[in-house]
Amino acid sequence: MTNTVTIANSCTVSTTGFTTTYDPLSLNAATNQDVTATVTTSCTLLIPAVITLGQGSHAASGSTDIVPLRRLANAGNTAFLNYSLYQDSGRGTTWGNTALTGVAIVGTGASAASTVYARIPSGQSPGAIGSFTDAVLVTVTY
């Protein structure tokens, strides 16, 4: 009797975005607003994968998958706040949408959280108040 079991490569992903308040008149007039988000993956044990982050729904002109120029937009898409997503707490390595600008992981068979370091640069005055949002596509390639 020959019995066979095949284990397929598999990954699941979930996210928690950031929520913050930006004050262009005082606090953030000269100080960047730094926040974090989380991408949680669960991949088959020992499977290598890469997590990439898209340019966002409101990318600025000239944005690319390697150097995304992300923007948060107000409800009417008439005002924008620039922001960036990074791989490191020092916010020196942009998290992009290519294999070379993504974050490499190795599956553990359990959930693993990857921190996304976000920065909304100081000195922006969008000319509108209210909520600004963006949707970024998260892809796990394995």
Side-chain angles (χ1 to χ4, degrees):
M1 172 174 34
T2 301
N3 301 308
T4 304
V5 174
T6 302
I7 298 176
N9 295 343
S10 177
C11 287
T12 60
V13 63
S14 64
T15 61
T16 304
F18 65 80
T19 300
T20 190
T21 300
Y22 186 85
D23 179 2
L25 294 179
S26 58
L27 179 64
N28 300 118
T31 303
N32 296 326
Q33 183 69 31
D34 289 344
V35 291
T36 60
T38 305
V39 174
T40 302
T41 54
S42 181
C43 295
T44 304
L45 182 64
L46 301 179
I47 297 302
V50 176
I51 305 168
T52 57
L53 303 179
Q55 296 178 43
S57 299
H58 310 288
S61 177
S63 182
T64 67
D65 282 342
I66 295 172
V67 182
L69 303 175
R70 298 179 175 105
R71 300 186 304 173
L72 300 146
N74 70 342
N77 293 333
T78 57
F80 301 93
L81 280 172
N82 298 319
Y83 76 103
S84 298
L85 301 176
Y86 298 95
Q87 300 177 20
D88 60 309
S89 61
R91 290 164 175 83
T93 304
T94 298
W95 197 329
N97 197 30
T98 69
L100 294 176
T101 60
V103 170
I105 61 169
V106 175
T108 65
S111 292
S114 298
T115 302
V116 180
Y117 298 91
R119 172 169 284 164
I120 305 167
S122 64
Q124 298 183 72
S125 185
I129 60 170
S131 293
F132 285 68
T133 61
D134 191 26
V136 174
L137 179 64
V138 177
T139 303
V140 179
T141 305
Y142 55 95

